[in-house]
Amino acid sequence: MRSRRGQGEQLRREILAGVQHLLAEWGGADKLTMRAVAKEVGISAPSIYLHFTDKTELVWAALADKYGELVAQMAAAESDTDGDARRRLHAQGRAYCRFAMRNPGHYRLMFEVHQPKVEASRISAHPARHVSASLRGGFAQCQDAGYALSMPVAQAAQTLWAGLHGTVALHHSLFHDEASESLTLLLSDGLVDSLVASTPGANPPFATVSGETDASRRIQSILSGSPLKDGQ
C-alpha cells in the first residue's frame, strides 16, 4: 500500500525531530540506534531505512537545518555590513557568536554532542562544511583585497572557527550575561585581527607564510575526502 501524498515527507520530519530529541536527552549519538528512533517516533525500524541509509546520515540530516540557520545568519551579517572584506569577516565571526549565544540548545546539538564516528572519507560531507566554507570565503576575499594573512586561507578559517567555538563554549559553561556577551564579540574581533593584517598591502604586523603549511595541507586533504596519514 502506497503512502498518501505528503505522508512520506511528514514521516521524515517526525523521524528527524525524534533524533534531535534523543540527541539532546542522551548528550550524544553513542546509544542512538534505528530501533531507538523507531520507538521514539512510534514506527517500525525498517521504515527509517526508506529515508536514511545509516545512523550517520540520519544524525547529519537531523542537524542539517541547524547548520543551515547558522550559515544563513553569517551570510546575512556579511551582506549587511558596509565596508571592506575585513569588516565583513568580522561580521561573520560576530554572527557565529550571536547564534551560539542566542541558541545554546541548538549549538550544543551541533557542536557539543558526540556524533557518529565515520571513516575519514565521509567527513567532508558533514553539514558543518558550509560553516567552514563561509569562513574560507571570507578569508579569500580579504586576501583578494590585498590583506596579508598570518597563515593560509584554509588554516586561517579552521583556526578562527576553533577560536570562536572555544570562546562561546566558555561563555556557555562559565558565565553568561550581557557583559560576557559583549566580551565574546570583542574576542571574536580580536581573533580575526590576529589572522588578517589591519591594512591592505605590504609590511603586515605579523610574519606571513608563503605557500602551504602542514596544518593547511591536512585541512585541505580532509575537505577533499582523502586525509593524509601521519608522516605525509
Side-chain angles (χ1 to χ4, degrees):
M1 179 178 176
R2 292 186 177 181
S3 299
R4 296 188 302 276
R5 184 175 181 178
Q7 188 176 20
E9 289 77 7
Q10 176 61 30
L11 177 57
R12 188 178 191 277
R13 288 193 292 270
E14 292 176 0
I15 291 170
L16 296 180
V19 174
Q20 292 174 5
H21 178 262
L22 292 176
L23 288 175
E25 180 179 351
W26 292 340
D30 294 343
K31 296 193 297 182
L32 192 75
T33 63
M34 295 301 196
R35 188 183 299 275
V37 175
K39 182 178 179 181
E40 175 71 17
V41 181
I43 59 175
S44 64
S47 299
I48 300 177
Y49 287 102
L50 297 176
H51 299 272
F52 307 98
T53 58
D54 60 15
K55 185 170 81 169
T56 295
E57 183 180 329
L58 180 60
V59 172
W60 289 5
L63 299 178
D65 61 330
K66 306 293 188 263
Y67 294 109
E69 288 178 33
L70 171 56
V71 172
Q73 291 185 26
M74 292 168 66
E78 181 183 19
S79 63
D80 290 344
T81 299
D82 294 330
D84 62 8
R86 190 171 183 272
R87 288 189 62 188
R88 293 196 296 273
L89 184 57
H90 276 129
Q92 280 206 63
R94 283 177 166 247
Y96 182 102
C97 293
R98 286 194 177 100
F99 176 90
M101 291 187 292
R102 294 172 182 173
N103 304 277
H106 287 174
Y107 189 82
R108 289 190 177 96
L109 280 179
M110 295 159 63
F111 294 113
E112 296 176 14
V113 303
H114 295 154
Q115 297 187 24
K117 293 182 179 179
V118 297
E119 56 273 24
S121 61
R122 289 187 68 179
I123 196 62
S124 61
H126 192 286
R129 68 189 185 278
H130 301 300
V131 178
S132 61
S134 183
L135 294 175
R136 289 196 305 276
F139 279 105
Q141 290 176 32
C142 288
Q143 197 170 59
D144 290 344
Y147 285 96
L149 307 181
S150 61
M151 55 188 68
V153 166
Q155 185 179 353
Q158 196 73 15
T159 299
L160 176 58
W161 189 6
L164 294 174
H165 174 69
T167 299
V168 297
L170 289 172
H171 171 84
H172 285 154
S173 62
L174 297 181
F175 56 97
H176 40 83
D177 57 19
E178 291 184 4
S180 68
E181 289 185 10
S182 176
L183 174 59
T184 296
L185 298 180
L186 291 174
L187 291 172
S188 171
D189 290 345
L191 287 168
V192 173
D193 293 342
S194 70
L195 297 165
V196 183
S198 57
T199 56
N203 301 317
F206 44 64
T208 59
V209 177
S210 60
E212 295 292 325
T213 64
D214 287 344
S216 68
R217 280 192 290 271
R218 287 181 178 274
I219 294 166
Q220 294 285 15
S221 72
I222 291 171
L223 294 171
S224 70
S226 304
L228 296 173
K229 297 179 180 178
D230 289 339
Q232 289 186 295

